[in-house]
């Protein structure tokens, strides 16, 4: 056995409830058939034995552990991951106090013959619950990339329910490097009101922010490069001489301001009435106020654009798929999304990982997004914008009917 003491211990925080400070005190390297024993003040013992094939992780759960008053429980957390807890007999109430804010629940106690026999039956596998989150690639193996116990600097402070602590986790798909943010702090009506309230203040704030952005010099403007790229791709793609574009989640309508100047017929769609009014009265484009997933009869377009929109919704595949019937023959979709792979290199304080972003993409996951929505990716590009945002952009064309 080789024992390496970590002095001082490495400390880190975890937990979905109140932050829990963990001290990582030592590393123990065992040779095959070597064992270490952990003890409690009450004299209970828990052995871990190294084997040539791995670890004998526990003594018998319905034998020796029970003799030491340690009850074994199979526990499931809020995202569908399973754990084994050893609970001291008589401290079940302490366990419940711990599990409730953590979002854990006991799937089954494993300290009695009836529950163990049930696990040994074929029915258990058939009734197995699916994990709470999935990646677009189909993967269900996630690692915790970061835990937030407070809002990072620069994040917009959206209204939260009373007495709600700031707790959220970002998970990374082990297969495609897509990131999923898990929390319940923002309501379903965020984008019909409080998003504009918190970000810009009011309609006057929308106008002030719009004026500031459109007055930026080209080398400081994210939007200038976006407009140039969409127009250039449309020309190479053979789009009509009088092209039309629908911008979903138009917000400040900076993008359509540039597209209108380029000669395009523009339609803005936004769930906030103030954003739609701003698009109509200030930018001078056609505007629709509504939820993209529910609006009807808005026409067909040469191009549908999602500029930093799909990361805000729980199901980006469904939203992207809903754009297909809106495309004219020969049309395409332009998608911009935050690049999690590049942003993570600098840390999870960056805006790509802010609370309103439920998904943060990788080059692999944006391709999967398009394929599952019925598109073929023509081009994927990775860039760092003048604003410093790490961005993935893709041009997608409808896949041929199968």
């Amino acid at each position: 056995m080789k024992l390496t003491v970590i002095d001082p211990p490495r400390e880190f925080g975890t937990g979905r409830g109140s932050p829990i400070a963990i001290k990582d005190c030592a590393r123990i390297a065992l040779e095959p058939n070597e064992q270490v024993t952990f003890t409690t003040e009450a004299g209970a013992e828990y052995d871990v034995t190294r084997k040539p094939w791995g670890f004998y992780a526990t003594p018998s759960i319905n034998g020796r552990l029970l003799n030491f008053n340690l009850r074994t429980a199979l526990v499931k957390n809020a995202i569908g991951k399973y754990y084994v807890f050893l609970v001291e007999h008589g401290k079940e109430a302490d366990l419940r106090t711990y599990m409730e804010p953590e979002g854990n629940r006991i799937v089954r106690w494993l300290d009695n013959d009836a529950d163990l026999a049930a696990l040994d039956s074929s029915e258990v596998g058939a009734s197995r619950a699916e994990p709470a989150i999935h990646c677009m690639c189909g993967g269900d193996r996630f690692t915790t990339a970061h835990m937030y116990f407070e809002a990072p600097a620069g994040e917009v402070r959206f209204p939260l329910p009373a007495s709600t602590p700031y707790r959220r986790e970002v998970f990374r798909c082990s297969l495609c490097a897509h990131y999923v943010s898990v929390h319940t702090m923002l309501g379903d009506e965020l984008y019909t009101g409080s998003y504009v309230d918190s970000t810009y203040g009011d309609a006057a704030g929308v106008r002030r922010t719009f004026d500031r952005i459109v007055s930026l010099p080209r080398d400081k403007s994210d939007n200038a490069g976006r407009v140039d790229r969409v127009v250039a791709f449309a020309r190479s793609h053979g789009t009509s001489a009088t092209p039309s574009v629908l911008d979903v989640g138009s917000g400040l309508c900076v993008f359509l301001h540039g597209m209108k100047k380029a000669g395009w017929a523009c339609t803005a769609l936004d769930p906030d009435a103030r954003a739609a009014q701003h698009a109509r009265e200030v930018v001078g484009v056609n505007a629709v106020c509504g939820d993209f997933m529910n609006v009807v009869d808005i026409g067909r377009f040469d191009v549908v654009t999602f500029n930093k929109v799909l990361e805000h919704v729980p199901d980006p595949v469904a939203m992207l798929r809903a754009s297909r019937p809106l495309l004219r023959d020969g049309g395409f979709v332009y998608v911009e999304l935050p690049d999690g792979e590049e942003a993570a290199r600098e840390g999870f304080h960056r805006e790509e990982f802010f609370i309103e972003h439920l998904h943060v993409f990788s080059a692999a996951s944006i391709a999967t997004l398009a394929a599952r929505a019925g598109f073929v990716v023509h081009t994927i590009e990775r860039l760092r914008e003048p604003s410093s945002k790490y961005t993935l952009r893709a041009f997608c064309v409808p896949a041929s009917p199968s």
Side-chain angles (χ1 to χ4, degrees), residues 32-360:
N33 295 320
E34 288 187 340
Q35 175 179 298
V36 293
T37 300
F38 300 90
T39 62
T40 69
E41 297 89 340
E45 294 183 359
Y46 164 56
D47 306 326
V48 176
T49 305
R50 179 78 168 92
K51 304 298 289 185
W53 39 261
F55 289 91
Y56 210 109
T58 73
S60 57
I61 59 180
N62 57 342
R64 189 158 179 265
L65 286 178
L66 278 182
N67 292 338
F68 281 115
N69 288 320
L70 291 174
R71 303 184 63 194
T72 305
L74 179 64
V75 175
K76 184 179 180 181
N77 73 5
I79 65 159
K81 300 301 182 184
Y82 291 83
Y83 301 86
V84 174
F85 286 5
L86 301 182
V87 185
E88 291 189 67
H89 184 74
K91 294 189 176 181
E92 290 84 353
D94 292 341
L95 173 67
R96 289 192 293 271
T97 299
Y98 165 78
M99 289 200 306
E100 183 175 353
E102 293 296 301
N104 295 338
R105 67 177 179 86
I106 293 176
V107 176
R108 191 181 293 270
W109 286 103
L110 301 178
D111 59 346
N112 61 87
D113 290 339
D115 282 318
L116 291 170
L119 281 177
D120 203 30
S121 71
S122 60
E123 296 177 0
V124 174
S127 62
R128 183 177 57 198
E130 292 295 323
I133 60 173
H134 295 273
C135 184
M136 281 172 294
C137 74
D140 58 5
R141 298 182 62 184
F142 291 88
T143 57
T144 298
H146 192 72
M147 299 186 69
Y148 296 87
F149 298 108
E150 61 183 6
E155 182 177 274
V156 174
R157 300 312 195 253
F158 298 110
L160 304 181
S163 303
T164 299
Y166 190 103
R167 295 287 183 275
R168 63 186 180 95
E169 294 172 84
V170 174
F171 298 91
R172 181 182 183 274
C173 175
S174 300
L175 295 180
C176 73
H178 184 80
Y179 291 90
V180 179
S181 178
V182 176
H183 63 86
T184 59
M185 290 184 285
L186 300 180
D188 294 337
E189 305 303 317
L190 175 67
Y191 297 104
T192 60
S194 57
Y195 185 85
V196 168
D197 294 338
S198 301
T199 307
Y200 308 115
D202 54 17
V206 171
R207 177 62 187 269
R208 286 193 300 271
T209 308
F210 169 82
D211 289 340
R212 177 181 60 80
I213 294 175
V214 298
S215 65
L216 290 171
R218 287 185 60 84
D219 63 342
K220 302 293 184 182
S221 170
D222 294 354
N223 192 63
R226 177 183 301 124
V227 170
D228 289 348
R229 189 68 185 93
V230 173
V231 170
F233 184 85
R235 287 173 180 162
S236 68
H237 192 64
T239 303
S240 67
T242 56
S244 61
V245 56
L246 170 69
D247 187 37
V248 180
S250 54
L252 295 174
C253 213
V254 171
F255 172 65
L256 291 188
H257 175 265
M259 296 299 287
K260 180 185 176 185
K261 290 175 66 176
W264 285 53
C266 301
T267 298
L269 188 151
D270 199 278
D272 192 290
R274 291 164 295 182
Q277 182 179 4
H278 167 80
R280 190 180 302 114
E281 297 180 0
V282 176
V283 184
V285 299
N286 181 41
V288 177
C289 178
D291 181 344
F292 175 70
M293 299 301 290
N294 296 319
V295 295
V296 294
D297 299 328
I298 60 173
R300 299 180 71 197
F301 306 87
D302 294 297
V303 182
V304 176
T305 56
F306 296 90
N307 292 305
K308 306 289 178 27
V309 168
L310 296 175
E311 67 269 28
H312 294 258
V313 301
D315 191 348
V317 172
M319 179 171 271
L320 181 57
R321 184 184 295 123
S323 68
R324 281 199 61 173
L326 304 180
L327 287 175
R328 291 175 177 164
D329 292 343
F332 65 88
V333 170
Y334 173 74
V335 175
E336 269 192 21
L337 294 163
D339 184 347
E341 290 179 294
E342 290 299 311
R345 299 178 194 276
E346 292 191 12
F348 292 90
H349 62 284
R350 289 189 53 86
E351 65 180 293
E352 289 84 356
F353 296 100
F354 280 0
I355 187 172
E356 65 269 31
H357 295 164
L358 304 182
H359 297 270
V360 189

